[in-house]
Amino acid sequence: MHKCLQIPEILDAVFSNVLDTHLGVAEKPPFPGSSTLVNIALTCQSFKEPALNTLWRAIPGLDPVVRCLPHDAVRTIEEPNDAPVGWRSGIKGLRFDRNLQPKDYARIRENAARVRVVCRPRFGAARSYALDKLFLHILYSRQEVIGPILPCVQHAMLYANDFEGHAVYPRLIIGPKLTSIDLIAFEKSKIKVVNGLEIIPDGPWRAIKRVLEEAGSPIQRFKVDEYRTEDHWKLNTFTPHDLISLLRSFQSLRVLEALSLNIDSSTLLHFSALPYLQELSVSLSPETITYVVEHHNHCDHFFPSLKKARLNTPNLEPCAELFKLPHAFECLTALEIRGEAGARWDLHSFFQGIRKNASLSTNLTCLKLWIAFFPWNPPLNTQAIDFGTIAPLLWFPNLSSIHIEADCPVHLTNADLARMGAAWPRLEVLNFPERTSRSCPQVTLTGLLPLLTACPSLRELTLRVDASEDVSSYADLGPIVPHRALTDFCYCRSPIKDPGCVAAFLALAFSRLETIGDNWLYGLDGDLVGYPEDPVDQKYRLLWGEVEKKLDQVLLHPNN
């Protein structure tokens, strides 16, 4: 055997590419590649441990663990009349045929130390077995040493209802090495509607805190799923005091993703002093931000290690004051702010405000501002995005990704794009989604060329362009140098006249183009959600559809 195949790190890298775990996706175990790893483990002794370590590194719940019990100890419930009351049809269950003995856990102990990630499929029908609570109680209580059955798990995906009752399922998983949790807290079946309002039940936050304290888990990453209404346009926020108390107990917290969590001023000040916090995603009210700005000790560093911030707030003006604080956000590289439908933002004032933060001007690479809105309604904000709005951002030379979706018209010109390209040479993503068709954009197709020349790494572009005029010929433009990076172009509701000429220009100018689209809303089935009533929109959509059909013949990855 070659010496390189005796190096554990190399074997680990090779075997990791064999297994496709689909973490967080509802896939039936075993994962693709599992049988291959088993065969590799049987090939030779030197491959056995690295292959088994990879095979067991991530498991879908406790199902693989249960499979390690002796065959005479458990059996599968197949027949409906053999299933417990309330058992859902189509899901297999398990039943003990005899009392478990400590020696029955031998194979479990052998493989448990290899497990690092426990994920849970979102849909119960995708699990191979449904483990009821009584089964888990017996599995937990028959151990020789009572405690977590998977003591080396570092990341776990859990449901809030796992912590109900005696919280046996999480206590089987959560041990002293757990550092990361994904918590699915909002299950539609538990949400009640009273007088047209959705009432979110209080979660088992105290039970979660107690389980983590009992295990001594040094949590560094905590994620709570977002809760949205049925149409997904509105983000519901909540303020459970027990959950906030739980989060404030994590002194080593590095990542907090809880956009539906509306935190108060004292909690924001607490998080701002955490020395290791690098990613934060929460909701903030204008009152909370105003109070923090007025009461923050200006001698202290404000979020000293934060690199990524994702905020949900209705107003930009208080946010600008937050970024003006002395010693604030000195390490921030990515900023996203989300607003609800109907919000009216003063972008120019906000950009002027964050420009005064010298560290932010130097370090910021990704900026995303967007307001949720339904695609067919006219824009609510009449104040257009023009070069004057964008001008303060020219002082951010390291920007590589810009996405501004403020529910307003975009009035940029060819000259503006050229100046933006010169200011942001590292640009990879430039998105100005616009849903109006009632004005003609001032940017032309050929006006994109200076931007592309100045930004050789630009790979994604969303912008309305005027494709209703004839594209300039070689005699006027000279040779067009194909752009080698742009793969995605979104034209929104751009006016268009000749699909053939537009397709020819795009094929020549964007040599790596893979997809073009309209940025309209499509459902999971691929069908358009609603339909534009404006006949102008309908006309443009049909003509751009012809462009897509023509390019489908030559694109690297044709549109689906």
Side-chain angles (χ1 to χ4, degrees):
M1 181 183 297
H2 198 282
K3 290 183 178 180
C4 70
L5 294 179
Q6 300 175 15
I7 301 174
E9 290 79 8
I10 292 180
L11 291 178
D12 183 68
V14 172
F15 296 160
S16 295
N17 285 300
V18 173
L19 190 66
D20 188 3
T21 56
H22 291 284
L23 291 184
V25 179
E27 291 286 341
K28 288 185 178 181
F31 292 126
S34 298
S35 58
T36 302
L37 281 176
V38 172
N39 292 332
I40 291 175
L42 296 173
T43 301
C44 66
Q45 191 65 30
S46 60
F47 285 177
K48 179 181 177 180
E49 288 301 312
L52 290 179
N53 288 340
T54 303
L55 180 65
W56 280 90
R57 183 173 298 147
I59 62 174
L62 289 177
D63 182 76
V65 175
V66 173
R67 292 169 184 264
C68 291
L69 291 170
H71 294 296
D72 66 330
V74 295
R75 64 185 173 94
T76 303
I77 301 173
E78 296 281 1
E79 300 297 329
N81 57 6
D82 197 24
V85 176
W87 202 269
R88 285 189 293 172
S89 61
I91 302 178
K92 298 178 182 178
L94 292 177
R95 172 173 291 176
F96 289 110
D97 274 350
R98 62 173 175 81
N99 288 330
L100 290 181
Q101 305 296 326
K103 63 180 181 180
D104 293 330
Y105 291 81
R107 282 191 63 205
I108 291 179
R109 288 193 297 270
E110 178 184 346
N111 295 306
R114 310 178 195 271
V115 180
R116 297 294 182 269
V117 176
V118 178
C119 58
R120 289 282 294 274
R122 283 184 176 268
F123 307 104
R127 306 172 191 168
S128 60
Y129 294 128
L131 306 178
D132 67 358
K133 291 184 177 181
L134 183 58
F135 184 97
L136 295 175
H137 281 59
I138 296 174
L139 184 67
Y140 181 84
S141 63
R142 301 304 190 269
Q143 301 179 83
E144 185 174 8
V145 178
I146 302 300
I149 205 168
L150 303 175
C152 298
V153 168
Q154 298 172 355
H155 171 76
M157 177 187 289
L158 299 164
Y159 289 82
N161 61 8
D162 290 333
F163 292 86
E164 295 175 355
H166 294 282
V168 173
Y169 179 83
R171 289 165 65 195
L172 283 166
I173 293 173
I174 295 177
K177 295 186 178 181
L178 186 77
T179 60
S180 173
I181 293 180
D182 278 11
L183 186 67
I184 300 172
F186 306 113
E187 296 187 71
K188 291 293 183 183
S189 60
K190 299 292 183 69
I191 297 172
K192 300 179 180 179
V193 179
V194 179
N195 296 327
L197 298 176
E198 292 178 310
I199 306 299
I200 303 173
D202 193 16
W205 314 118
R206 291 175 57 199
I208 296 174
K209 184 177 181 180
R210 184 161 187 171
V211 170
L212 294 176
E213 289 175 347
E214 178 185 294
S217 305
I219 299 299
Q220 299 178 7
R221 178 185 176 275
F222 194 90
K223 178 181 178 180
V224 181
D225 61 325
E226 299 174 14
Y227 173 54
R228 300 178 182 275
T229 53
E230 289 293 342
D231 57 10
H232 294 275
W233 296 109
K234 180 177 175 54
L235 176 73
N236 284 1
T237 59
F238 66 117
T239 312
H241 298 293
D242 289 332
L243 174 58
I244 291 177
S245 174
L246 168 67
L247 296 175
R248 294 182 67 157
S249 67
F250 300 150
Q251 297 302 315
S252 301
L253 196 63
R254 295 176 183 270
V255 178
L256 173 60
E257 297 182 53
L259 198 64
S260 287
L261 180 63
N262 197 348
I263 63 175
D264 55 23
S265 55
S266 63
T267 304
L268 181 59
L269 288 170
H270 171 80
F271 288 152
S272 71
L274 293 179
Y276 307 113
L277 188 62
Q278 297 181 1
E279 297 184 27
L280 178 67
S281 178
V282 292
S283 290
L284 299 174
S285 68
E287 295 76 17
T288 294
I289 299 174
T290 301
Y291 181 90
V292 169
V293 170
E294 294 175 352
H295 293 82
H296 171 63
N297 186 344
H298 289 186
C299 296
D300 296 337
H301 288 270
F302 194 73
F303 289 103
S305 302
L306 195 68
K307 295 182 178 180
K308 296 181 180 180
R310 185 171 178 234
L311 308 177
N312 178 61
T313 185
N315 297 331
L316 277 182
E317 289 77 4
C319 284
E321 298 301 319
L322 197 65
F323 287 96
K324 291 180 186 177
L325 290 174
H327 310 293
F329 305 102
E330 293 180 332
C331 296
L332 194 68
T333 60
L335 172 62
E336 177 181 343
I337 299 180
R338 179 192 185 280
E340 290 297 338
R344 298 179 183 273
W345 283 355
D346 185 352
L347 293 173
H348 178 73
S349 298
F350 176 75
F351 294 151
Q352 287 280 30
I354 64 174
R355 176 189 165 187
K356 296 180 181 179
N357 187 319
S359 299
L360 201 62
S361 300
T362 303
N363 299 329
L364 194 67
T365 59
C366 300
L367 177 63
K368 182 176 182 179
L369 306 176
W370 66 286
I371 297 174
F373 54 78
F374 194 73
W376 308 123
N377 298 333
L380 290 175
N381 298 328
T382 57
Q383 183 180 5
I385 297 176
D386 55 19
F387 185 75
T389 307
I390 302 297
L393 292 181
L394 300 185
W395 295 89
F396 293 71
N398 294 314
L399 281 173
S400 62
S401 177
I402 300 174
H403 182 108
I404 301 176
E405 190 171 357
D407 194 16
C408 61
V410 178
H411 293 168
L412 295 173
T413 67
N414 292 342
D416 297 339
L417 286 186
R419 295 176 66 180
M420 291 160 60
W424 304 319
R426 297 177 176 85
L427 203 60
E428 298 179 13
V429 176
L430 181 63
N431 290 332
F432 289 99
E434 187 182 3
R435 57 196 176 101
T436 180
S437 60
R438 293 156 182 81
S439 64
C440 187
Q442 301 178 52
V443 175
T444 63
L445 282 173
T446 54
L448 299 176
L449 297 178
L451 171 69
L452 299 175
T453 301
C455 304
S457 300
L458 187 66
R459 54 181 172 78
E460 181 180 325
L461 177 63
T462 300
L463 186 68
R464 285 185 73 226
V465 296
D466 183 8
S468 62
E469 301 294 331
D470 294 334
V471 179
S472 300
S473 64
Y474 172 79
D476 299 319
L477 287 178
I480 296 177
V481 179
H483 194 266
R484 302 295 184 183
L486 193 74
T487 58
D488 298 278
F489 174 54
C490 179
Y491 50 80
C492 303
R493 300 187 186 182
S494 297
I496 180 175
K497 183 176 68 174
D498 188 341
C501 290
V502 172
F505 175 84
L506 295 178
L508 180 62
F510 308 150
S511 62
R512 299 293 180 183
L513 189 64
E514 296 178 4
T515 58
I516 63 173
D518 50 25
N519 197 43
W520 291 353
L521 184 66
Y522 291 85
L524 296 177
D525 56 1
D527 293 335
L528 192 66
V529 175
Y531 197 79
E533 297 180 358
D534 192 323
V536 176
D537 285 334
Q538 297 177 15
K539 174 186 175 182
Y540 291 163
R541 186 170 186 268
L542 292 175
L543 291 176
W544 278 104
E546 294 183 26
V547 175
E548 294 180 25
K549 289 180 181 179
K550 293 178 181 296
L551 289 175
D552 276 347
Q553 305 172 13
V554 294
L555 291 179
L556 297 179
H557 300 285
N559 291 305
N560 292 327

